[in-house]
Amino acid sequence: MKSKGVFFSFIFSLLLLFNTLQAQRKVELSAGLGMPELMYVGFDVGQKVQYGAKFGLLGPYSWFGDEYYDWSIGANIRFHFAGKSKFVGQAPWYISGDLLYHDLSLITMGNFDYEGYSLSFNPRIGRTINFSEKIGANIDFGLFLPLRIRYNPNVLHVYLSGSLSLFIRM
């Protein structure tokens, strides 16, 4: 029940923020797939330095008759630094950092169980591919660094992360 309140508060905050920032005309709405973001929607504001928010969801899973959803919510900052684009003045190469809170209850990768992590930092390097002045894609790779570890906190946890998203500039 608590997660539903967080979800609706986040969506309401996003709508208010998007309405305020849309006047700047440098807003990108995106949808993508990433780890640990899951299948997500988000927005970014800015040109050379972008900041934004994401909300991810995956599920439902059925386990012994109960349904589960994995979800994430977070903030990101992206700094564009090199190259030239044919369609826009924004440099296509970037470094980024995401701070995510997540409830990844059922996802596993090999012997690694994500269930123990609820807060992570994800530094990445990536590239923006502009298909036109308004539409493009972002692809990035980096690290998944858990900050709050529920289980086995005395072991160093560093894993790979990445995402692929499509965006529309407003």
Side-chain angles (χ1 to χ4, degrees):
M1 197 64 147
K2 183 178 177 184
S3 63
K4 286 184 181 180
V6 170
F7 170 73
F8 289 119
S9 297
F10 176 72
I11 296 299
F12 182 71
S13 300
L14 280 181
L15 291 174
L16 286 177
L17 186 60
F18 178 73
N19 190 33
T20 304
L21 297 173
Q22 190 175 10
Q24 295 184 8
R25 306 303 268 170
K26 295 180 183 176
V27 176
E28 293 177 3
L29 299 178
S30 62
L33 180 63
M35 193 60 205
E37 296 102 329
L38 311 169
M39 290 191 303
Y40 67 90
V41 294
F43 71 91
D44 292 300
V45 177
Q47 184 76 10
K48 184 170 182 159
V49 176
Q50 293 180 301
Y51 55 93
K54 299 176 183 179
F55 176 75
L57 186 65
L58 194 61
Y61 301 105
S62 183
W63 191 260
F64 295 111
D66 294 328
E67 280 192 352
Y68 295 94
Y69 291 88
D70 292 342
W71 59 271
S72 68
I73 185 171
N76 62 295
I77 187 165
R78 186 179 296 144
F79 175 72
H80 291 264
F81 65 90
K84 294 192 184 285
S85 174
K86 176 181 175 183
F87 298 107
V88 295
Q90 182 185 65
W93 289 96
Y94 62 85
I95 56 173
S96 69
D98 296 355
L99 185 63
L100 293 171
Y101 180 80
H102 36 74
D103 180 12
L104 306 175
S105 57
L106 295 176
I107 293 179
T108 59
M109 292 180 69
N111 293 330
F112 172 64
D113 183 9
Y114 282 97
E115 184 179 10
Y117 309 119
S118 59
L119 186 64
S120 67
F121 176 66
N122 307 294
R124 297 178 179 164
I125 187 165
R127 180 165 171 87
T128 298
I129 301 165
N130 293 295
F131 304 126
S132 70
E133 187 177 311
K134 298 259 185 201
I135 299 172
N138 290 319
I139 184 167
D140 50 46
F141 298 98
L143 299 175
F144 171 49
L145 305 170
L147 299 177
R148 195 168 94 187
I149 303 169
R150 293 182 201 153
Y151 307 110
N152 204 0
N154 298 325
V155 176
L156 178 63
H157 298 275
V158 178
Y159 303 96
L160 295 177
S161 73
S163 72
L164 173 65
S165 65
L166 298 174
F167 64 84
I168 298 173
R169 286 188 183 94
M170 304 304 280

